[in-house]
């Protein structure tokens, strides 16, 4: 999915686990089919999952990132009514795999899709509850830093120009260009940064019987624009359920429109970047863009 991405096999995982965590030697290893784009996942027995970064990188920098993700997961653990993963262990490079890797608890459930359970009002209430509980976590004086989603919208102009150019022939780019031009100048949400999950896409949301039963990939927990987690409204919900989430979170017009801007920024990249390598992600981006064009009036 990415230039130079790493390959991880069940045989490699078996060897790494046996060498570094002999207490799990008897647990079966099974690859997990996933919509994820930066980690390969492998079940270890019934209750654990090993996560292997797919992007090549500096060993020490990767270890620091995994340690940071584990701290974020611990900070979130038990703070929401919806289950989230618990970090368990950190593995080292060996046996033909060149980076550190991690183990965390496995959460049962089925990965949501852009359309299921998008029409469930109960699911929308539960999703809003998760966002509210994450927002309630104390930032302890921390503020957004870095170049990713969650800071200053115009910082993403260059990326969006690239996305519009690469998306010609895949989607109708003209209305999306106009939408970004209108949304990028929105003022910051008042009140400053709050804690956010940071990546509430369908692949990180687990459901059962149209209920929210888990949220994964929580290593990006951190302070950001309060509108950032509103991307879920367009990634996951139909129009009526979207309004339920907005009402539950008491979003004013500016915050709601900023949420649409972050959803647009994320969806534009997903469509073209993953069109050949991860069709589920590309389809998610297309569905989100359809909802945005139909729904948003800046």
């Amino acid at each position: 999915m990415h230039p130079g991405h790493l390959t991880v096999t069940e045989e490699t995982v078996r060897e790494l686990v046996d060498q570094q965590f002999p207490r799990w030697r008897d647990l079966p290893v099974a690859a997990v089919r996933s919509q994820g784009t930066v980690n390969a996942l492998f079940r270890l027995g019934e209750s654990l999952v090993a996560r292997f970064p797919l992007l090549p990188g500096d060993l020490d920098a990767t270890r620091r990132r995994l340690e940071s993700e584990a701290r974020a997961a611990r900070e979130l653990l038990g703070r929401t009514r919806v289950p989230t993963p618990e970090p368990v262990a950190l593995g080292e490079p060996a046996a033909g795999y060149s980076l550190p890797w991690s183990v965390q608890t496995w959460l049962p459930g089925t990965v949501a899709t852009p359309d299921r359970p998008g029409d469930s009002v109960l699911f929308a209430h539960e999703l809003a509850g998760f966002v509210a509980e994450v927002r309630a976590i104390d930032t302890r004086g921390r503020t957004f830093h870095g170049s990713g989603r969650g800071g200053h919208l115009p910082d993403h102009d260059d990326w969006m120009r690239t996305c519009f150019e690469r998306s010609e022939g895949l989607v109708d780019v003209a209305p999306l260009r106009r939408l970004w031009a209108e949304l990028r100048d929105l003022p910051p949400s008042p009140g400053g940064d709050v804690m956010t999950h940071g990546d509430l896409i369908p692949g990180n949301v687990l459901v059962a019987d149209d209920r929210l039963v888990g949220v994964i990939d929580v290593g990006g927990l951190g302070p950001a624009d309060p509108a950032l987690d509103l991307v879920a409204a367009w990634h996951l919900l139909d129009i009526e359920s979207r309004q339920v989430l907005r009402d539950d979170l008491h979003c004013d017009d500016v915050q709601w429109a900023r949420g649409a801007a972050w959803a647009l920024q994320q969806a534009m990249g997903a469509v073209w970047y993953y069109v050949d390598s991860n069709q589920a992600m590309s389809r998610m981006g297309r569905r989100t863009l359809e909802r945005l064009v139909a729904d948003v009036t800046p």
Side-chain angles (χ1 to χ4, degrees), residues 15-61:
E15 187 173 352
L16 287 166
V17 170
D18 290 352
Q19 287 178 357
Q20 300 182 34
F21 303 103
R23 63 186 182 276
W24 297 330
R25 188 183 300 271
D26 295 331
L27 297 180
V29 171
V32 178
R33 292 182 62 87
S34 167
Q35 298 177 19
T37 61
V38 294
N39 291 287
L41 307 181
F42 294 83
R43 292 283 300 272
L44 297 179
E46 295 297 318
S47 60
L48 299 174
V49 59
R51 305 172 80 244
F52 290 82
L54 290 172
L55 300 177
D58 177 76
L59 188 150
D60 290 335

Side-chain angles (χ1 to χ4, degrees), residues 156-184 261 263-273 289 292-293:
H156 299 269
D157 283 343
D158 288 344
W159 167 248
M160 293 300 284
R161 277 192 290 270
T162 297
C163 289
F164 294 137
E165 292 169 1
R166 298 291 185 91
S167 298
E168 293 284 359
L170 297 174
V171 295
D172 185 2
V173 170
L176 299 168
R177 287 182 185 272
R178 291 193 295 269
L179 187 58
W180 178 252
E182 295 169 333
L183 294 175
R184 66 176 295 282
L264 176 61
Q265 190 272 358
Q266 188 171 34
M268 281 303 311
V271 170
W272 67 267
Y273 190 89
L289 295 178
L292 286 164
V293 170

